[in-house]
């Protein structure tokens, strides 16, 4: 098993090669990687069946993330092809000017270098992350969870072989074969080789990385997302949005976990939305005011307000005002995605201005917080922090800036 130090060295060498690679060569590599996923479909699915058979301790709600089939592999391949169609951020010059001393200064987009990604049982991350880092000129070191180890290794093998056959550095994509906590800890401290670390997974994983890593971290993922139904909401629209945000794919980070309803419409509307959610199998947990209106709602606990369920569970709160809703959300949100349903544009604007989250919607589902939905192509994750990147992270967010200065003999006096 290759040591992490050796993997880091190889990644650093590959990153230096990628930094000077032209866009056409990178696109050629992406298409080759996409073709390799399809060509190696049988081997990848065989590995995935092995992982699924061994996933005895995994909650059933997460098995869908682990499971691959022919369509999902096709989607992964199409994701790589779509990345090839996107503009290359490292081919861009942000701006340029002449200083007072006659220096020509250019601000250029450049890769971050070596990106480390620690993620849980989501094998699609392997392909998405490899494609985005490669197109943006970065090498990537991937460390997935033990539940998806065989699948991840099979995908990485196919991608690396595609790069080799295309005459490109295979070490641009490396998968850590050791899924132990020790390897994760070592990776978090590999400051000599890794420029930035991105955790993808539940809140526990993300917080562990943030608290223990010495490598700079971009915080992503955890989504305690809220839907607020205002007193002036279109209630039919509100039902459609709340059901979509909670039910369409409850295990993902942009699914809504909390429902807040203005007191003026709660008595008539809460029974309607509760019936619609319960019909879809959602367990509702509510405060005293909500339970008085719909007695079958079970009592909420203080812990519920801060919990990302990743399941068909939703907590409900009746609030007295827009201000109360904003305060509650800012106090309990993971600063991911929130939405207000209202026909009052002034209240909608106030909600967007005062909610401290990466993505704030008016009259739309939180499920749209996604790189593909925003037109970025595939995403590396959704950042909930404020430094460098926030919200869906596409190619642009995987770059930094470099100043290139040209003079004709100037010296500073």
């Amino acid at each position: 098993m290759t040591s992490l130090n050796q993997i880091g060295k190889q990644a650093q060498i590959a990153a230096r090669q990628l930094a000077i690679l032209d866009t056409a060569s990178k696109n050629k590599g992406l298409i080759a990687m996409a073709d390799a996923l399809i060509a190696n479909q049988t081997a990848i699915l065989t590995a995935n069946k092995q992982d699924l058979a061994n996933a005895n301790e995994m909650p059933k709600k997460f098995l869908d993330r682990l499971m691959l089939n022919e369509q999902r592999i096709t989607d992964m391949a199409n994701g790589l092809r779509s990345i090839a169609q996107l503009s290359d951020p490292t081919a861009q010059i942000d701006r340029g000017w002449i200083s007072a001393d006659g220096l020509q200064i250019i601000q250029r987009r450049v890769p971050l270098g070596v990106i480390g990604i620690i993620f849980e049982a989501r094998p699609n991350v392997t392909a998405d992350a490899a494609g985005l880092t490669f197109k943006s000129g970065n090498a990537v070191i991937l460390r997935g969870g033990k539940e998806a180890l065989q699948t991840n290794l099979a995908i990485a093998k196919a991608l690396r072989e595609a790069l080799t056959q295309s005459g490109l550095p295979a070490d641009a994509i490396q998968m850590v074969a050791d899924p132990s906590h020790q390897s994760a800890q070592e990776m978090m401290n590999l400051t000599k080789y890794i420029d930035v670390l991105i955790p993808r997974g539940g809140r526990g994983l993300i917080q562990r990385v943030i608290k223990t890593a010495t490598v700079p971290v971009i915080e992503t993922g955890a989504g305690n997302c809220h839907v607020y139904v205002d007193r002036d909401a279109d209630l039919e629209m509100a039902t459609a949005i709340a059901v979509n945000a909670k039910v369409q794919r409850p295990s993902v980070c942009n699914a809504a976990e909390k429902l807040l309803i203005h007191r003026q419409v709660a008595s008539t509307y809460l029974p309607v939305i509760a019936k619609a959610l319960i019909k879809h199998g959602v367990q509702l947990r509510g405060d005293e005011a909500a339970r008085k209106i719909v007695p079958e709602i079970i009592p909420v606990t203080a812990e519920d307000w801060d919990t990302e369920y990743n399941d068909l569970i939703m907590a409900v709160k009746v609030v007295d005002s827009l201000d109360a809703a904003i305060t509650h959300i800012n106090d309990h949100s993971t600063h991911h995605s929130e939405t207000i349903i209202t026909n009052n544009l002034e209240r909608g604007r106030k909600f967007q201005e005062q909610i401290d989250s990466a993505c704030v919607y008016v009259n739309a589902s939180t499920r749209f917080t996604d790189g593909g939905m925003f037109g970025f192509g595939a995403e590396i994750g959704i950042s909930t922090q404020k430094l460098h990147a926030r919200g869906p992270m596409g190619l642009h967010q995987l770059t930094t800036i470099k100043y290139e200065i040209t003079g004709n003999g100037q010296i500073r006096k």
Side-chain angles (χ1 to χ4, degrees), residues 25 278 326 394 399 407:
S25 297
I278 291 169
I326 290 171
T399 63

Side-chain angles (χ1 to χ4, degrees), residues 86-159:
L86 297 173
S87 62
D88 183 351
T90 63
Q92 298 174 11
I93 293 174
D94 286 352
R95 60 194 181 114
W97 66 98
I98 304 295
S99 75
D101 295 301
L103 295 171
Q104 177 184 285
I105 303 175
I106 292 175
Q107 181 180 298
R108 184 185 295 279
R109 287 274 127 201
V110 295
L112 290 168
V114 177
I115 297 176
I117 301 178
I118 297 178
F119 60 105
E120 293 177 335
R122 302 177 70 168
N124 65 294
V125 171
T126 304
D128 289 348
L132 284 164
T133 53
F134 187 80
K135 179 66 180 265
S136 54
N138 297 285
V140 67
I141 300 173
L142 297 153
R143 190 270 184 193
K146 63 180 181 180
E147 296 85 359
L149 180 61
Q150 300 307 319
T151 310
N152 288 333
L153 289 172
I155 293 171
K157 182 174 182 289
L159 299 179

Side-chain angles (χ1 to χ4, degrees), residues 24-284:
S25 297
K26 288 189 279 189
N27 290 342
K28 174 186 171 184
L30 287 163
I31 299 302
M33 286 192 281
D35 292 343
L37 289 179
I38 301 301
N40 289 274
Q41 181 173 267
T42 300
I44 293 169
L45 290 177
T46 299
N48 188 243
K49 286 178 182 177
Q50 183 180 343
D51 283 331
L52 287 168
N54 293 332
N56 299 320
E57 299 178 6
M58 177 179 283
K60 289 184 179 179
K61 65 183 180 181
F62 294 129
L63 287 175
D64 178 61
R65 293 182 174 185
L66 174 58
M67 187 271 293
L68 291 181
N69 53 34
E70 290 185 7
Q71 183 57 52
R72 289 188 176 183
I73 291 176
T74 298
D75 290 343
M76 288 160 56
N78 288 339
L80 292 172
R81 294 188 180 102
S82 70
I83 293 170
Q85 299 300 316
L86 297 173
S87 62
D88 183 351
T90 63
Q92 298 174 11
I93 293 174
D94 286 352
R95 60 194 181 114
W97 66 98
I98 304 295
S99 75
D101 295 301
L103 295 171
Q104 177 184 285
I105 303 175
I106 292 175
Q107 181 180 298
R108 184 185 295 279
R109 287 274 127 201
V110 295
L112 290 168
V114 177
I115 297 176
I117 301 178
I118 297 178
F119 60 105
E120 293 177 335
R122 302 177 70 168
N124 65 294
V125 171
T126 304
D128 289 348
L132 284 164
T133 53
F134 187 80
K135 179 66 180 265
S136 54
N138 297 285
V140 67
I141 300 173
L142 297 153
R143 190 270 184 193
K146 63 180 181 180
E147 296 85 359
L149 180 61
Q150 300 307 319
T151 310
N152 288 333
L153 289 172
I155 293 171
K157 182 174 182 289
L159 299 179
R160 284 172 56 85
E161 288 176 353
L163 292 180
T164 298
Q165 292 169 9
S166 300
L168 298 166
D171 288 334
I173 303 165
Q174 295 184 84
M175 175 67 64
V176 178
D178 176 7
S180 68
H181 289 299
Q182 182 180 348
S183 74
Q185 186 65 47
E186 187 179 349
M187 190 169 166
M188 291 181 214
N189 297 309
L190 205 62
T191 54
K192 185 175 181 180
Y193 299 113
I194 297 178
D195 294 287
V196 66
L197 195 60
I198 303 174
R200 289 281 305 269
R203 193 169 191 175
L205 168 68
I206 293 166
Q207 290 304 310
R208 186 164 65 252
V209 172
I210 290 169
K211 290 175 182 178
T212 62
T214 53
V215 174
V217 177
I218 297 178
E219 183 177 352
T220 67
N224 186 25
C225 304
H226 296 71
V227 174
Y228 168 57
V229 180
D230 185 47
R231 71 188 190 202
D232 289 326
D234 178 324
L235 299 182
E236 186 176 342
M237 177 195 292
T239 300
I241 289 173
V243 169
N244 176 264
K246 175 72 264 183
V247 171
Q248 191 206 29
R249 199 172 175 195
S251 65
V252 295
C253 62
N254 58 21
E257 307 287 25
K258 307 297 180 292
L259 175 64
L260 308 183
I261 301 178
H262 195 286
R263 190 174 297 277
Q264 287 187 17
V265 296
S267 59
T268 55
Y269 177 63
L270 183 52
V272 175
I273 183 60
K275 181 179 179 181
L277 288 165
I278 291 169
K279 182 180 178 182
H280 283 87
V282 179
Q283 179 194 93
L284 296 178

Side-chain angles (χ1 to χ4, degrees), residues 332-344:
H332 297 281
S333 169
T334 52
H335 311 295
H336 191 296
S337 301
E338 332 295 341
T339 187
I340 181 175
I341 317 304
T342 185
N343 284 330
N344 186 301

